[in-house]
Amino acid sequence: MAYSTASTHEQQPLEMHWVYGFSNNISSGVVDLRTEMHSHTVGYIAGIVVVLYDIWGHTQKILQGHVHQIQCVAVTPDKSVLFTSDCGPEAALIMWDVTAAKAVKAISQERTSDGSHHVCLSQTCVRFNVNDHEELITNGKFRVFVWRHFKKNEAGTEEYFLHGHEGVIIPHELKQTVAEFTLSLFSPSTSTAMTATVEGDVVIWHQERAPRRLDSAQLTIHVPPFIVGTKSAHMRLLHAGLFEEQPGTRICKGEQVMKPMRGVVGPVAAHPSKPYFASVGHPSLLQIQDYTTKTVVMEREFSKNLKISCVQYSPLGSLLAVGFSNGVFKLLAADFLVDQQSFSYTRSDVAMVQFSGDGTYIATADNSCCVALLYCKLVKVMVDIKKTPSVLRDAMPTLHVSLLAADEKWECVGKYRSHAKTITGLMFAVGEDGANRLFSMGQDCMIIEYDLNKSFVDTGLKLKGSWLLNTLALPAAMTTSSSPNELQVMTSDEGFKVRIYDTERFHSIRTFLGPVFGTAIHKFCKISESTTSKNHLVYSTREDIIGLMTRRQGEDTVEERNLDQTLGAELLMDCYSGLGVFFSKKDLDGILDEINRPRLRKKQGPAARVNFDDFFRTYVAHKPVLQFDELTIQAAFNEIGADQATGKISLATLINNLMYEGEKMTREEIDECIKTCSNNDLDLDSLPDEGDGLWFFKDLLKLEPGAAAEKAVLFHDESQKI
């Protein structure tokens, strides 16, 4: 995929230019912003952003500031100020200037501007007072706030202010239980406000008076033209006259504001040379979007039993591969979305599809942990090079051009159940000799390479090798790493680590701490700039103070100490442990392999001492990001034989695993660890016959359940000082 960075700021590598669709599951998530100045503008929620959309100009202004799904939006009657709120940790109520399209005030979950605390600011409804543009009301499930916003001009600077107070229910005066709140609004031309509940009640709020129940009454309301967003993802401009038609004759009328995205957006794939991308609008709808004109150029709706699970363009862009949840796999002509070939070699969801760089192979992975391979022979065809896009001319001799011939057919070479758990990575790569290589990665912590040279239709798909990854967390994504001399593989895992491996022995070359905002990296994508030779790697996602200890040189010496900022390699484990991080011997071997790799390339022996930079880098890179709790321990118990119903594991099974699996411990070492962890309250003979993760966390480790915690146990001897 290529893109242009002409308008991208150097310090902001990713900039949001356009948002497709809107959050149609949010009630009242669309607001009418039409005024004399902005006669054709509408605002709507789209995930964690608000979009100001000019209907006539077909342009967008995107308001960014929330970190969670926005739950509500409201605008002042004069359409000058917009308020939005989200729910969750770090929830915020944000005030936006519509004309300037920027935030002017934000109140976080912890504190309002006057210093009063609001433990749960998460709001699901925001409404303005039509009689007082400076007043608004918000509510969550259990709390209601009334706010007043205003601005002051001090010393030539205009500043916005926002103050609020909470509505209070007095139980003995109300004489009934109040259910969860749904929405609130001000009663027109009165000094009261009302809040509806999930049980159909309405609570009336009045200043310095207790709320009371409101009975239904007939109201006459003037309805001006308005804009609505529906659950079917339609957005239309309506007027009151549409609702005066007789029942049974009413049809969907009004002006369409924007073409709907007909469901949750599923898989997407970018065309390699055209400004197109394929997207799934709902489970059976395939759409091709033009991202320059922001329009749908073509679409195809499959039958209801064909729900799309993955899409991918071929290297030349002439084929579009589509996988379905029932195991069907189709190759479509990209220009018309008509079937070229169809396969059904699995009954499981086709989760991934990849083309080889030269277009001769297709690989798929399904939810039954199988990888399948398809192959198409190269044929000689007449190609007018002058009409070939310039970016493809140099590659044309090696690219798969058989798709230009109508009689070509792809063949299924075979499939292989190569993993024991869900496949999370599938990719082709080009080896040092220019040959195609195929790899897959699974949650079984295995990377598998397939032997393409020995895989044929009559022999099936063959394996070339398998390797166990150096990670305790579940692998999440995989791609190739840029290296001029050798093919390398980059992986990410659920522990927020990114690792680079060589592809001969699959030894870890380098470990990085990945981004820890949100969830771990679950997908990589390589892109290249259209005007330069620069390549970029894009990803998508699902202690502040450290102490340093030094080994002493002997307390009895009075000689000057020689601190050369290095540490004996044999002491690394002690230093990591002193910082509260306890690596296994396998982890330590991987760390030393990373540190020594530059020396081995120069044909030097392993380093006897480690400098501070290498020590600190490997500490930060390999230190677990997620703190353990009782659930972590329970998950480990489940893996080694705990009862699936009770979650309890027998003491005999636990001891047997510690003594004979992984890095083995003696019975004496286990007993010593139990005494140390329990502050000598327990030993091996006093443990119960069985226990679960909560018992181990609370009673053995003496940690408080329900909160992530860690406990550093520091061991020392006569030659060590903490």
Side-chain angles (χ1 to χ4, degrees):
M1 180 176 71
Y3 74 105
S4 174
T5 59
S7 61
T8 305
H9 195 277
E10 183 180 356
Q11 299 301 320
Q12 188 176 357
L14 293 178
E15 182 179 353
M16 192 177 297
H17 284 176
W18 193 267
V19 177
Y20 294 84
F22 69 100
S23 297
N24 60 316
N25 60 323
I26 302 296
S27 177
S28 302
V30 178
V31 290
D32 189 353
L33 301 177
R34 293 173 300 139
T35 64
E36 292 183 359
M37 181 177 297
H38 308 284
S39 58
H40 297 90
T41 303
V42 60
Y44 50 87
I45 298 172
I48 63 172
V49 302
V50 174
V51 178
L52 306 183
Y53 176 56
D54 187 318
I55 303 171
W56 281 17
H58 195 48
T59 59
Q60 291 184 351
K61 295 179 180 178
I62 302 172
L63 309 182
Q64 302 180 71
H66 290 281
V67 296
H68 302 288
Q69 166 73 59
I70 300 174
Q71 298 293 328
C72 49
V73 59
V75 64
T76 55
D78 63 359
K79 313 295 178 67
S80 64
V81 176
L82 198 70
F83 277 82
T84 57
S85 182
D86 61 359
C87 291
E90 302 179 34
L93 177 67
I94 301 181
M95 180 179 179
W96 308 87
D97 185 317
V98 173
T99 303
K102 67 177 183 179
V104 293
K105 196 71 176 179
I107 295 187
S108 65
Q109 179 166 315
E110 290 80 13
R111 187 178 296 272
T112 61
S113 58
D114 60 358
S116 60
H117 286 272
H118 294 287
V119 178
C120 184
L121 186 64
S122 299
Q123 305 296 317
T124 57
C125 176
V126 178
R127 291 289 187 276
F128 277 92
N129 188 344
V130 296
N131 301 117
D132 185 348
H133 297 184
E134 294 183 349
E135 192 174 37
L136 65 150
I137 187 170
T138 68
N139 72 264
K141 290 184 177 180
F142 307 105
R143 308 178 75 178
V144 175
F145 294 93
V146 175
W147 306 84
R148 178 164 292 276
H149 74 92
F150 56 94
K151 55 185 177 181
K152 291 182 179 180
N153 195 319
E154 298 181 355
T157 302
E158 194 175 71
E159 185 176 356
Y160 285 84
F161 293 87
L162 186 64
H163 295 286
H165 59 274
E166 183 177 2
V168 179
I169 292 179
I170 304 176
H172 71 273
E173 292 188 9
L174 192 62
K175 297 181 180 180
Q176 74 176 76
T177 302
V178 179
E180 292 182 4
F181 298 138
T182 56
L183 57 89
S184 301
L185 53 83
F186 290 98
S187 179
S189 303
T190 69
S191 60
T192 62
M194 57 187 73
T195 300
T197 74
V198 294
E199 293 184 352
D201 295 328
V202 175
V203 177
I204 303 298
W205 307 95
H206 192 280
Q207 187 174 2
E208 299 181 355
R209 292 182 59 183
R212 58 183 174 81
R213 184 166 178 167
L214 178 69
D215 294 327
S216 62
Q218 184 175 356
L219 298 175
T220 301
I221 302 175
H222 170 67
V223 182
F226 57 96
I227 293 176
V228 298
T230 70
K231 287 189 175 181
S232 59
H234 287 276
M235 192 182 297
R236 291 184 175 273
L237 172 62
L238 305 176
H239 59 85
L242 293 173
F243 302 95
E244 296 175 358
E245 301 175 6
Q246 294 296 321
T249 64
R250 191 174 301 162
I251 60 175
C252 184
K253 294 182 178 180
E255 178 186 347
Q256 180 173 274
V257 174
M258 60 185 295
K259 190 174 180 66
M261 299 286 288
R262 294 165 50 189
V264 176
V265 179
V268 296
H271 195 285
S273 57
K274 296 179 181 180
Y276 294 166
F277 70 91
S279 65
V280 179
H282 69 73
S284 300
L285 177 65
L286 177 64
Q287 293 181 321
I288 308 300
Q289 307 261 3
D290 186 322
Y291 55 77
T292 57
T293 62
K294 314 298 188 301
T295 57
V296 177
V297 295
M298 70 181 84
E299 63 181 33
R300 176 180 174 181
E301 188 161 5
F302 297 91
S303 58
K304 292 184 179 180
N305 66 315
L306 292 176
K307 297 181 179 179
I308 304 171
S309 53
C310 60
V311 293
Q312 186 65 266
Y313 277 100
S314 64
L316 284 176
S318 54
L319 267 187
L320 182 61
V322 184
F324 297 88
S325 60
N326 62 353
V328 172
F329 178 69
K330 289 181 177 289
L331 295 176
L332 309 180
D335 291 338
F336 306 101
L337 299 186
V338 296
D339 287 9
Q340 293 285 75
Q341 282 185 261
S342 183
F343 301 87
S344 184
Y345 45 74
T346 179
R347 296 181 180 179
S348 299
D349 187 338
V350 181
M352 299 179 184
V353 57
Q354 292 290 334
F355 282 84
S356 62
D358 60 3
T360 57
Y361 290 102
I362 299 175
T364 66
D366 60 43
N367 283 349
S368 63
C369 306
C370 292
V371 171
L373 181 68
L374 289 83
Y375 175 72
C376 189
K377 294 182 180 179
L378 290 171
V379 297
K380 294 181 179 180
V381 295
M382 298 301 296
V383 179
D384 188 349
I385 297 297
K386 295 181 180 179
K387 296 182 179 180
T388 304
S390 58
V391 295
L392 300 176
R393 290 176 189 169
D394 294 337
M396 183 59 74
T398 59
L399 283 174
H400 185 326
V401 295
S402 62
L403 301 178
L404 302 177
D407 60 343
E408 287 243 354
K409 299 296 181 183
W410 288 78
E411 295 179 308
C412 180
V413 174
K415 70 173 183 176
Y416 202 108
R417 181 170 281 109
S418 45
H419 291 276
K421 294 185 178 180
T422 302
I423 296 174
T424 58
L426 180 69
M427 71 173 188
F428 284 98
V430 179
E432 294 87 339
D433 58 355
N436 286 312
R437 299 177 69 177
L438 175 61
F439 300 91
S440 65
M441 180 179 70
Q443 289 187 350
D444 53 4
C445 296
M446 298 295 294
I447 278 189
I448 307 295
E449 183 176 5
Y450 303 84
D451 196 333
L452 300 183
N453 292 329
K454 297 181 180 179
S455 298
F456 303 100
V457 175
D458 55 346
T459 62
L461 180 58
K462 299 295 183 181
L463 301 189
K464 187 175 183 179
S466 61
W467 299 271
L468 181 64
L469 294 176
N470 181 29
T471 176
L472 296 178
L474 294 178
M478 175 174 62
T479 187
T480 57
S481 176
S482 299
S483 176
N485 301 319
E486 62 178 330
L487 176 62
Q488 298 175 348
V489 170
M490 178 184 293
T491 68
S492 69
D493 61 37
E494 297 294 345
F496 298 92
K497 304 298 184 183
V498 176
R499 291 182 170 87
I500 297 177
Y501 296 89
D502 67 64
T503 54
E504 296 303 322
R505 300 175 301 162
F506 267 90
H507 284 191
S508 176
I509 299 173
R510 192 77 180 269
T511 301
F512 304 92
L513 175 63
V516 296
F517 180 79
T519 58
I521 295 173
H522 75 280
K523 184 177 292 186
F524 289 111
C525 178
K526 284 190 172 183
I527 59 176
S528 58
E529 295 184 11
S530 58
T531 57
T532 70
S533 59
K534 290 184 178 180
N535 295 318
H536 302 273
L537 183 64
V538 180
Y539 65 86
S540 60
T541 60
R542 277 213 195 290
E543 328 191 69
D544 301 331
I545 298 173
I546 66 170
L548 180 64
M549 64 179 185
T550 59
R551 295 277 297 196
R552 72 180 185 180
Q553 294 181 335
E555 292 299 320
D556 297 332
T557 182
V558 294
E559 298 178 0
E560 183 178 342
R561 300 187 181 212
N562 179 25
L563 299 179
D564 60 356
Q565 298 184 350
T566 65
L567 177 73
E570 74 280 1
L571 303 178
L572 269 180
M573 183 69 84
D574 290 336
C575 290
Y576 290 134
S577 299
L579 291 172
V581 180
F582 302 95
F583 294 121
S584 67
K585 186 178 183 302
K586 181 181 178 182
D587 292 331
L588 186 62
D589 289 342
I591 292 172
L592 288 171
D593 193 39
E594 289 183 19
I595 293 174
N596 289 320
R597 188 173 181 83
R599 295 178 58 87
L600 296 177
R601 284 179 174 174
K602 299 177 182 178
K603 298 183 179 180
Q604 299 175 350
R609 302 188 67 81
V610 177
N611 62 40
F612 177 79
D613 289 342
D614 284 337
F615 168 76
F616 185 74
R617 175 182 59 78
T618 54
Y619 166 77
V620 172
H622 289 266
K623 177 182 179 294
V625 174
L626 301 177
Q627 296 176 326
F628 71 85
D629 56 17
E630 65 273 19
L631 299 179
T632 312
I633 296 175
Q634 185 62 58
F637 282 1
N638 294 340
E639 288 290 328
I640 61 175
D643 186 280
Q644 297 301 311
T646 64
K648 292 184 177 181
I649 188 172
S650 68
L651 178 62
T653 301
L654 179 59
I655 298 303
N656 183 72
N657 274 274
L658 292 174
M659 292 180 64
Y660 300 107
E661 300 293 337
E663 297 182 6
K664 304 173 182 62
M665 302 175 65
T666 65
R667 189 176 181 87
E668 291 72 22
E669 289 173 334
I670 297 173
D671 186 61
E672 182 64 26
C673 285
I674 293 172
K675 292 177 181 178
T676 304
C677 290
S678 64
N679 295 325
N680 291 318
D681 291 340
L682 298 171
D683 58 25
L684 190 55
D685 296 328
S686 62
L687 293 182
D689 293 336
E690 61 179 11
D692 57 13
L694 180 60
W695 161 80
F696 192 95
F697 192 79
K698 181 180 179 181
D699 298 335
L700 182 57
L701 300 184
K702 305 296 184 182
L703 297 174
E704 187 66 27
E710 55 185 3
K711 184 175 183 180
V713 183
L714 306 179
F715 298 90
H716 59 91
D717 55 28
E718 292 301 321
S719 63
Q720 180 182 20
K721 182 178 182 180
I722 304 300

